[in-house]
Amino acid sequence: MELSRLSRRAFSALAGTTVLGLSLGGSVSGRTLPASGAAGPAPTGPPPGPPGADGVRHRVALDRYSLLVDGRRLSLWSGELHPFRLPSPSLWRDVLQKMRAYGYNAVDVRLAWNQHSPAPGAYDFTGVRDLDLFLRTAAESRLYVVLHPGPRIGADVDAGGLPGWLRSAGGGAGTTDAGYARHADEWLSRVNAVAARHQYTRGTGTVLLYRVDAPERAGLTRLHDRLRADGIEVPVLHAGAPVPRGEAEHSRDAAEARRVHLAHLARGVTLHSVRTAFGGTSWGWLAASSAPAPTYDPTAAIDEARRPTDRLAPLHQLGHLLRHVPDFTRLDEAPGVRAADARLQVRHLTNPDTGTHAYVLRNDSAADVTSTLPMGGTDVEVTVPARDARLYATGLPVGSGRKLAYATVQPMATLSVGRLDIAAFTGRAGEMAHLVLDCPHEPWPTRLDEEAAWAYDHGRLHVTVPLRENGLTRVRIRSGESDRTTLLLFADDAASLRLWPYETPSGRVLVHGPALLRDVALDGATVRLTGDTVEECSLEVWAPRGITDVTWNGEPVSTSVSRAHSLLATWQLPGVPELVLPALDGWRRRAENPESAPDYDDSGWRTADLRTSHGTTPVPDGQPVLFADDYGFHYGDVWYRGRLTAAAGLESVSLAYRTGARGLLMAWLDGEPLGTHRTGGEGEAATARFRLPAALRERRRRRPDAGASPVLSVLVRRTRHDQDAHRSARGLVSAAFEGASPKAEWRIRGAVAPDPVRGPLNTGGLYGERHGWHLPGYDDGRWEAVTPTRVDAGGDRRQGVTWYRTTFRLDVPPDVDASVGLVLDAGRGRGNRAQVFLNGWNMGEYAGDLTDSPGTFVLPNGILRTRAAANTLALAVLSGGDTAPGPGRVRLELLGSAAGGVPVEPVASPGRR
């Protein structure tokens, strides 16, 4: 949880009049006025409805408990999604809809400056960088937006998101230096021109909060003026803002996710952030050195292939709890209670308006703990699994005048649907759930599933249910004093992930059964459902009164009315059909790196003759600046060619270089390989020492005139900039020699002009990249044809770069969402580096020389053509000379599929002209 301090004056200046009542010392005053103008804190009540671009102005404020939207309390459950890590705008809708279905009511968006700006003054908000489209899609998905444009965003992005060209702008990023501030202001103004049109306060979008990067208090006033001048009027969050915020990242499993987020809840946090909700891909040269793998966050609850993982259940449950149970948006510390077993840590809170009590239990031990806990005047036996946590409640209204006395299961949602009051509870499969209700009148319970049992005694109804694996148990409660019925639902984690509350303008709906519910529309007597199925499944719908018919993805569903007052499908919904992916064949191959030849024409390359650098890395005495960034080459591979004079007697070469993690250097002298050097997994600076091969030394000794001015060619895979040290050098640093003291005149060549569609981080300086070998439409007809076996094994061993290209077609049915991966497997032993290009888009690097494990690259639909269209696959393989230059085994793999999905538009992938 982030708790920080800022004066009332400074924060009010920063956040504007929409944020009220912020007091000194980092707390928030209880004197905040609700929108109605009534004195005192806003009372607990129904939260605001789902947001949208509704054309109505809204008021956003906060007090020490929560956000206030139009005077109503809002507990924000936000998941972080980086649009730049999903380079297919159609799929933004898919993930946003999944986030909403899984309980999120907001999306936390970071923007990478370097994705949008290839050069000073140049900005691109089109295609996969279309911020306006993303914000519209978020509003259509009925999610609030927390916008974080940086300028520095961290997030394991190259240079923390700062563009490469900023390195020569002067000053240090994050300071008040005029050079940096001028460019940062320009970036924020370009973002704000879009964001201002989508602010929830204006009713034109759902941007609710704005996060900024301004670590120095002195810059707050200037930043405030900048934002206000750009029309930003929503509240602004800052590292020094006195707003308790809970942020969790990289949970190892569901138990840790539950433990962390319940700890935030126990501290009174109502601004929750899950980092990250969706994993995403660090494609191209996007990743910082701290995250060199293409998969950004393998611990995300929705993975890189857009599939739910086993970490999702607690987030789904807590998100819906905070959305549908308003009692948890205003909690005060209550008198402490203790469990009988001291291994259980207990936090006790209460809502002063409703009298609901919450108990957060945490077990940090390595064993399950069963103990008694005083709840609601009764010692209740509870079990908390090892290294897990649980939330219990007492006094919670469940409808029809009934309240929860206590329960050994966690509340997930309470909602009214028609004449039903539904309360859903979750627990661990195999456990016995014990729930007790205070009933003002004698109830008439009905067991709707065989597992449930009940007993009524002295005004309390006791319900016991053994929680089934992936099963839902229903108990109906009526009485003669009310025409409303209470329905209790009990689910384990798996079943809770098939339980979907949904709010419509005409009332709430609850759906159980399918793998995902995307949308609900009430149309007369029909409820129209849209969603996904994976396997055959049941469908059960609780809908407002008057609803008699159901459609699923546009098709009518035959239903009957169940004893649980639901519409129950007569037949199961169909699952996804089996898909067969093609084998990859028809490969063609061509070796490159002509730059290593002594007679290669490098006259068009930059002369590396600078004597001072814009970076923080010292320039070695007596050496020119060789750092790639100083010559405008910020991403990808870089070539150097040094023409040596007075090199007679040369015996060895030492090359110092800096690359970040997993860097690589190859060197040649007059076309003869000297060797390959790797920095390893974590190194940044390294020195490669090469002794000239004996045959080369002998040849130079016998024919000294033939090699009077030899050419030293060096290829550096300079990987990425650190996110916290973007001005550190990348590329070659210096050269030293033994046996001779030659003078070196250096030239340098990196990437050509940035790809106008794919952006500046897509390509580097390999010969094939500079000449379009990675692009669709390139004529590879004269390349060598190779069989899949030869792709696995490669050809003759050589040091350098070898390209492989093929095309393939997919034929996925239009109503199926298939996630496809490309698997490269070098097998045991050291393999090669392979840069993967799909339809010209750089999907990342497989470091087969550093791992024995296969590498899987998720191919985003849109870039991947799945509807009977051709795809071009190109692999740039860097081989160190100790193995054949093949990429290893290459195949397509189905990572997941569902019947449903969203319409996908092809992503622009221009070919070679």
Side-chain angles (χ1 to χ4, degrees):
M1 178 176 66
E2 299 175 1
L3 291 173
S4 50
R5 298 173 182 268
L6 188 66
S7 71
R8 177 201 297 266
R9 180 177 181 182
F11 186 80
S12 297
L14 177 65
T17 58
T18 54
V19 179
L20 306 176
L22 300 176
S23 67
L24 295 172
S27 63
V28 184
S29 171
R31 298 188 300 106
T32 298
L33 297 179
S36 63
T44 301
D54 55 12
V56 177
R57 290 195 66 88
H58 297 277
R59 189 165 181 264
V60 181
L62 53 86
D63 63 12
R64 74 183 184 92
Y65 294 105
S66 70
L67 277 167
L68 299 169
V69 176
D70 298 328
R72 294 186 178 188
R73 294 203 173 279
L74 175 69
S75 186
L76 203 69
W77 185 256
S78 178
E80 192 164 304
L81 164 65
H82 304 158
F84 54 84
R85 283 197 162 101
L86 184 56
S88 177
S90 300
L91 297 184
W92 296 342
R93 185 179 303 276
D94 173 70
V95 176
L96 290 170
Q97 287 182 351
K98 286 174 178 173
M99 288 177 61
R100 187 186 184 282
Y102 288 123
Y104 295 99
N105 59 9
V107 55
D108 201 323
V109 180
R110 299 190 190 219
L111 302 179
W113 184 0
N114 56 12
Q115 280 282 294
H116 294 267
S117 183
Y123 293 91
D124 186 355
F125 288 90
T126 64
V128 299
R129 295 164 293 277
D130 193 338
L131 176 61
D132 188 83
L133 174 60
F134 182 88
L135 296 178
R136 291 201 313 270
T137 306
E140 291 164 2
S141 302
R142 304 205 295 177
L143 288 171
Y144 295 108
V145 174
V146 181
L147 191 64
H148 184 191
R152 184 198 298 276
I153 62 169
D156 289 329
V157 175
D158 183 275
L162 302 178
W165 55 259
L166 189 64
R167 192 172 181 272
S168 59
T175 73
T176 55
D177 177 85
Y180 168 78
R182 182 177 68 257
H183 292 295
D185 282 353
E186 184 177 59
W187 158 245
L188 291 178
S189 291
R190 296 299 184 101
V191 172
N192 296 341
V194 180
R197 302 196 298 266
H198 295 271
Q199 296 180 95
Y200 190 61
T201 50
R202 296 182 180 180
T204 54
T206 56
V207 175
L208 185 74
L209 297 171
Y210 189 107
R211 292 178 60 189
V212 295
D213 169 29
E216 290 80 16
R217 183 177 300 183
L220 292 178
T221 299
R222 187 189 64 81
L223 179 60
H224 162 261
D225 293 342
R226 170 78 275 150
L227 296 178
R228 292 296 171 252
D230 290 342
I232 299 300
E233 59 186 43
V234 297
V236 177
L237 298 180
H238 174 263
V243 182
R245 188 169 180 269
E247 184 172 281
E249 57 180 313
H250 308 314
S251 297
R252 291 187 297 268
D253 51 32
E256 184 177 36
R258 187 162 30 234
R259 201 163 67 242
V260 170
H261 288 290
L262 286 181
H264 292 160
L265 183 71
R267 296 187 187 108
V269 169
T270 56
L271 297 182
H272 300 266
S273 179
V274 178
R275 180 183 176 191
T276 53
F278 165 71
T281 301
S282 293
W283 57 278
W285 299 103
L286 176 66
S289 292
S290 53
T295 299
Y296 167 55
D297 185 358
T299 70
I302 302 174
D303 71 10
E304 185 183 8
R306 300 176 290 113
R307 303 168 299 182
T309 71
D310 56 5
R311 300 173 185 85
L312 193 55
L315 308 180
H316 178 69
Q317 295 161 9
L318 285 170
H320 283 293
L321 174 75
L322 296 176
R323 179 188 294 180
H324 298 288
V325 186
D327 304 66
F328 291 91
T329 59
R330 185 183 178 190
L331 292 172
D332 287 328
E333 190 78 17
V337 298
R338 293 184 179 180
D341 192 315
R343 289 176 295 175
L344 294 184
Q345 305 168 44
V346 183
R347 290 292 298 269
H348 180 204
L349 305 103
T350 185
N351 184 300
D353 300 324
T354 66
T356 296
H357 288 251
Y359 303 82
V360 176
L361 279 66
R362 176 174 175 141
N363 175 15
D364 289 332
S365 74
D368 292 4
V369 174
T370 298
S371 180
T372 57
L373 177 73
M375 286 194 297
T378 304
D379 286 339
V380 181
E381 185 177 274
V382 295
T383 298
V384 182
R387 297 188 179 92
D388 209 331
R390 288 291 184 266
L391 170 66
Y392 302 117
T394 65
L396 181 69
V398 295
S400 306
R402 304 179 182 97
K403 286 193 173 184
L404 182 66
Y406 62 85
T408 63
V409 281
Q410 179 172 300
M412 174 178 164
T414 60
L415 59 159
S416 294
V417 181
R419 290 182 178 176
L420 279 178
D421 295 318
I422 302 175
F425 297 87
T426 63
R428 186 170 60 164
E431 292 183 342
M432 180 66 73
H434 185 197
L435 180 144
V436 180
L437 294 181
D438 285 322
C439 299
H441 306 286
E442 183 171 356
W444 303 339
T446 302
R447 182 176 61 188
L448 304 180
D449 296 283
E450 292 299 323
E451 296 80 9
W454 61 270
Y456 180 70
D457 182 49
H458 293 88
R460 284 188 165 181
L461 177 66
H462 295 252
V463 180
T464 55
V465 174
L467 297 178
R468 297 178 293 154
E469 183 74 38
N470 200 16
L472 186 70
T473 302
R474 308 154 185 82
V475 175
R476 189 182 68 200
I477 305 171
R478 292 183 291 185
S479 74
E481 305 298 326
S482 173
D483 64 348
R484 297 192 64 78
T485 298
T486 299
L487 183 67
L488 303 178
L489 302 178
F490 298 87
D492 73 332
D493 282 353
S496 74
L497 285 171
R498 297 190 295 117
L499 200 58
W500 308 106
Y502 197 96
E503 301 152 90
T504 78
S506 301
R508 295 187 177 186
V509 173
L510 180 64
V511 176
H512 174 252
L516 181 71
L517 181 70
R518 294 182 180 274
D519 193 30
V520 177
L522 301 182
D523 181 9
T526 302
V527 55
R528 304 190 183 279
L529 309 176
T530 304
D532 297 358
T533 60
V534 176
E535 300 173 342
E536 287 189 352
C537 63
S538 61
L539 176 66
E540 189 171 13
V541 183
W542 289 272
R545 297 174 62 187
I547 298 296
T548 58
D549 300 309
V550 178
T551 67
W552 176 257
N553 289 344
E555 298 295 327
V557 177
S558 174
T559 62
S560 61
V561 179
S562 75
R563 293 195 300 159
H565 299 277
S566 62
L567 296 173
L568 188 62
T570 306
W571 310 105
Q572 288 196 320
L573 299 178
V576 63
E578 182 179 359
L579 297 177
V580 178
L581 300 179
L584 296 175
D585 53 19
W587 289 96
R588 290 186 175 275
R589 176 173 63 198
R590 181 177 176 183
E592 57 136 281
N593 57 278
E595 299 94 337
S596 63
D599 57 352
Y600 178 80
D601 182 8
D602 59 16
S603 59
W605 290 24
R606 287 286 306 273
T607 300
D609 56 1
L610 297 175
R611 292 295 168 179
T612 59
S613 170
H614 293 290
T616 56
T617 303
V619 181
D621 291 341
Q623 299 265 358
V625 175
L626 297 176
F627 312 148
D629 287 287
D630 286 284
Y631 297 97
F633 304 124
H634 308 299
Y635 310 111
D637 301 295
V638 177
W639 274 98
Y640 296 84
R641 283 171 56 86
R643 191 166 299 278
L644 310 182
T645 56
L650 182 63
E651 294 183 356
S652 68
V653 177
S654 294
L655 299 169
Y657 67 109
R658 298 174 66 93
T659 65
R662 308 204 311 181
L664 178 149
L665 178 147
M666 295 179 179
W668 295 259
L669 185 67
D670 272 349
E672 292 290 332
L674 298 182
T676 298
H677 189 272
R678 301 169 178 85
T679 62
E682 301 297 332
E684 177 178 280
T687 299
R689 295 179 174 87
F690 301 116
R691 183 170 176 79
L692 271 62
L696 179 59
R697 293 200 310 271
E698 179 64 18
R699 186 164 62 249
R700 289 179 53 77
R701 185 183 67 81
R702 291 181 177 182
R703 300 181 59 194
D705 294 340
S709 298
V711 175
L712 177 61
S713 300
V714 182
L715 173 62
V716 181
R717 172 144 289 187
R718 27 69 45 76
T719 65
R720 296 91 171 173
H721 304 83
D722 291 334
Q723 58 181 348
D724 298 319
H726 80 287
R727 295 167 65 82
S728 179
R730 289 294 181 262
L732 205 57
V733 175
S734 64
F737 307 94
E738 292 183 7
S741 300
K743 178 182 179 182
E745 295 181 354
W746 291 98
R747 291 181 180 269
I748 182 173
R749 172 78 267 186
V752 294
D755 188 309
V757 172
R758 300 171 181 91
L761 278 72
N762 193 69
T763 50
L766 295 180
Y767 183 90
E769 291 177 293
R770 305 197 311 265
H771 292 81
W773 292 8
H774 62 297
L775 296 175
Y778 178 82
D779 184 4
D780 57 16
R782 295 185 179 181
W783 289 22
E784 176 190 4
V786 292
T787 65
T789 302
R790 294 287 287 168
V791 174
D792 294 353
D796 296 333
R797 295 186 178 189
R798 64 181 298 271
Q799 175 180 293
V801 185
T802 305
W803 283 77
Y804 293 81
R805 282 173 55 97
T806 189
T807 60
F808 64 92
R809 300 174 73 89
L810 299 178
D811 192 11
V812 178
D815 56 348
V816 171
D817 177 15
S819 183
V820 177
L822 180 76
V823 180
L824 275 69
D825 185 0
R828 292 189 174 276
R830 290 297 173 101
N832 300 313
R833 298 286 176 94
Q835 205 71 24
V836 178
F837 294 90
L838 175 68
N839 294 325
W841 290 83
N842 186 343
M843 293 289 101
E845 176 194 62
Y846 172 56
D849 57 339
L850 299 178
T851 180
D852 290 335
S853 302
T856 300
F857 297 80
V858 177
L859 308 178
N861 295 348
I863 290 179
L864 177 68
R865 310 294 198 249
T866 61
R867 315 296 190 205
N871 294 278
T872 298
L873 178 63
L875 306 176
V877 179
L878 276 67
S879 176
D882 50 352
T883 60
R889 292 180 292 277
V890 185
R891 59 183 172 84
L892 298 175
E893 180 176 297
L894 184 63
L895 303 177
S897 61
V902 298
V904 176
E905 294 293 329
V907 176
S909 302
R912 187 173 185 271
R913 297 175 181 175

